[in-house]
Each structure stands twice: as structure tokens, then as C-alpha cells.
Amino acid sequence: CPAPSALRTANGTRICAQLYTDNSPYYDQCCAGEVLVVDPGDDMPYMPRGWGNRISSLVVGTRCDLTVWSRSGKRGKSRRFGA
């Protein structure tokens, strides 16, 4: 997985989080598959089409927090992730 401080686009813009569809019990094989990029300030009360119940690993950048909910529309239990 990339280091939280290394989350940047090709032009150097900071990324707040990257969410991945594939995971593994072996660390060198984690953070694989499709990637969903979360930019600073993004607010997504609903997951993009095809992403529901697919995320298995994530990396949150420095100076960012990622809050997720158990139900769509920011309902249900929430959990906050940081770098």
C-alpha cells in the first residue's frame, strides 16, 4: 500500500484517500484491484455505482479523515479513519 504521505496525483495534487477492491492477508498484495480516489473536501452520501460492498482496503492521507457509514445517505453506524 502507498504511504499516507505519498497520496498524490501525477501532477502533485494531494489525495485524501484511496479505496481498493482487493485485499490479501499478505501485506505486499494489499491495495490492489480497482481504485476509488477521494479528493480533499469530497462529500459522497452515496457510493458510486458498482462500489457498494466492494471496498476491502483503504489508505487515508495525512491531514485527512475519512468517515464511512453502514447505510446509504449517511445513515446507520459510522466509523472514522485517519492516516
Side-chain angles (χ1 to χ4, degrees):
C1 295
S5 60
L7 291 184
R8 300 209 176 264
T9 63
N11 68 4
T13 306
R14 188 168 64 97
I15 295 173
C16 241
Q18 288 186 354
L19 294 74
Y20 302 88
T21 57
D22 296 341
N23 194 8
S24 171
Y26 303 104
Y27 185 77
D28 61 337
Q29 296 174 17
C30 288
C31 300
E34 294 180 56
V35 179
L36 178 62
V37 173
V38 180
D39 292 318
D42 277 356
D43 183 13
M44 295 197 272
Y46 299 94
M47 290 300 291
R49 183 178 213 83
W51 277 89
N53 295 322
R54 291 192 58 213
I55 297 168
S56 62
S57 55
L58 58 90
V59 176
V60 178
T62 54
R63 300 187 331 255
C64 284
D65 288 319
L66 176 71
T67 304
V68 297
W69 286 265
S70 60
R71 300 184 62 205
S72 63
K74 296 184 179 180
R75 294 181 309 204
K77 295 182 180 185
S78 67
R79 180 153 184 202
R80 179 179 249 165
F81 296 91

